[in-house]
Amino acid sequence: MGVTEVFTTFGDVYLRSVLSTWLMTAVCFAGGLALGILVTVLRVSPVKPLRVAGDVYVQLFRNIPTVSLLVIFVYALPYLGATLSYRTCLLACVILVVSSFASENFMSGINAIGVGQIEAARSIGLTFVQIVRLIVIPQSLRTTVLPMTNLLIATLLTTAMGSQVPLTPPELTGMVNYVNSRSVAGISAFIVSAICYAGTSVVLGWLGNKLDEKVRIVR
Amino acid sequence: MAIETATPVIELRHVDKHYGPLHVLRDINLSVAKGEVLVVIGPSGSGKSTMCRTINRLETIDSGEILIEGTPLPQEGKELAALRAKVGMVFQSFNLFAHKTILQNVTMGPIEVLHTPREQAEAEAMELLRRVGVDSQAAKVPAQLSGGQQQRVAIARSLAMHPTAMLFDEPTSALDPEMINEVLAVMVELAQEGMTMVVVTHEMNFARRVANRVVFMADGQIVEQNSPDEFFDHPQSQRAKDFLESIKGH
Ligand SMILES: Nc1ncnc2c1ncn2[C@@H]1O[C@H](COP(=O)(O)OP(=O)(O)OP(=O)(O)O)[C@@H](O)[C@H]1O
Ligand SMILES: [Mg+2]
């Protein structure tokens, strides 16, 4: 079966699997960013135990292979009385991993702000929460567009972890198994999925560059 | 004239501070009266910046007391933030908010801390920017301005909080020579309008012109204080004599 045949035969399943991959990527990235901001706020807070907790969190989820995390969620959590759906397990794992990388990006963005601006903000009477909201988050978001774009693409590729659990519809990598268990497409199914990943990544990368040009802070 | 036992705007009593084994502030006693302009001078590492920074609690102290208009500085939190805003601070490196326009740099404090309505805050900010001569730059971001212009914006940003006193930590040291005077001019004007000021600077002409008192620091101590003319022309301590000799060449 050639690439075009794979398209014509499985076109609508492919469409659904592309959409499913995009949706998971969006949910995981948004969730990872939100959680990453939270963890980063802990890591820069004036309270030492919170800083330590934030650092431990990042070390934990940045250094465990996503697949191991997924195994723990799928097989170990039920023993603790929490049986989550496969999709929920997958999303939770990817979000945890993405958030730890996002926090590392934010930290480098924060380091670029410099202690002077923070002191100036303190000296005009802004509180810690105001400084985080008005200075730290906006500036670190705007200086980390490029690394965050890379993280978004990495998130897209990490959703391929979904091929390790049964999902309906399957995401792009699971789709390869789906096609090959119903016909003899061989490498063609891989190629179609690869084209979808690569196409998406190129568009995201381009959008990231445009956004960076727009919001980058001149220093 | 009625006899007034006016409360000093800034008062330091027996302030001590260490950085690890380093004793940076040794039993500092200092009081700054309303409208007074104090110039702090001394060799590098003598604790001038540290003293300034303890006054609005950017640094903690080990012992002693710091009072602003008779009120001791609170430990942390909202109360401290509020009191801090009453003492403006201008830094050597300007420290403008890089992601905000010049106008937004000046309005942020009033809007967020004083809860001034935006329109009023903007009107006041434009007036302040006009006073320091950078109103035409209001829509730009800090990186588009010269150092001198940025420092004048930083002064406007502090003034927007209606401070009762202003601290300046070497406000002209990072500036190219041709920009120093435009910043000093703004400071002279402020002094003449009666602002209470503590200025760390080696600009002797500025000190002679507007300072009421010069405080000479060395090794974390106030070694000598006097009127500017007395201090510069007849320093008492050997340390002050040596120091003045060393900066003469510049
Ligand atoms: N955060 C810090 N940690 C440890 N030591 C510090 C810290 N900040 C300052 N010091 C030390 O404290 C001493 C006083 O520093 P300070 O900056 O107050 O001096 P200064 O009089 O302002 O000097 P300069 O003229 O160079 O600005 C110096 O020896 C300095 O190295
Ligand atoms: Mg200094």
Side-chain angles (χ1 to χ4, degrees), chain B residues 96-107:
Chain B
L96 295 179
F97 307 131
H99 64 311
K100 294 287 183 189
T101 64
I102 296 310
L103 183 65
Q104 288 169 332
N105 262 275
V106 182
T107 57

Side-chain angles (χ1 to χ4, degrees), chain A residues 14 42 60 83 127 159 171 184 219:
Chain A
Y14 251 112
L42 294 185
L60 195 62
T83 310
T127 61
T159 61
E171 43 61 62
V184 198
R219 291 186 199 270

Side-chain angles (χ1 to χ4, degrees), chain B residues 41-72:
Chain B
I41 197 168
S44 179
S46 56
K48 307 179 299 290
S49 297
T50 308
M51 185 176 79
C52 266
R53 294 160 57 81
T54 59
I55 293 175
N56 67 351
R57 194 57 162 74
L58 288 174
E59 299 286 353
T60 55
I61 56 177
D62 299 341
S63 61
E65 217 180 355
I66 297 174
L67 302 106
I68 305 297
E69 292 187 305
T71 313

Side-chain angles (χ1 to χ4, degrees), chain B residues 192-226:
Chain B
Q192 285 164 350
E193 285 164 14
M195 176 61 76
T196 308
M197 292 162 65
V198 174
V199 187
V200 179
T201 184
H202 294 167
E203 293 291 334
M204 265 197 259
N205 288 334
F206 172 83
R208 280 188 194 267
R209 206 169 143 201
V210 296
N212 302 101
R213 189 157 42 121
V214 173
V215 168
F216 174 73
M217 282 183 81
D219 291 332
Q221 277 174 311
I222 294 179
V223 175
E224 190 172 331
Q225 44 183 315
N226 219 328

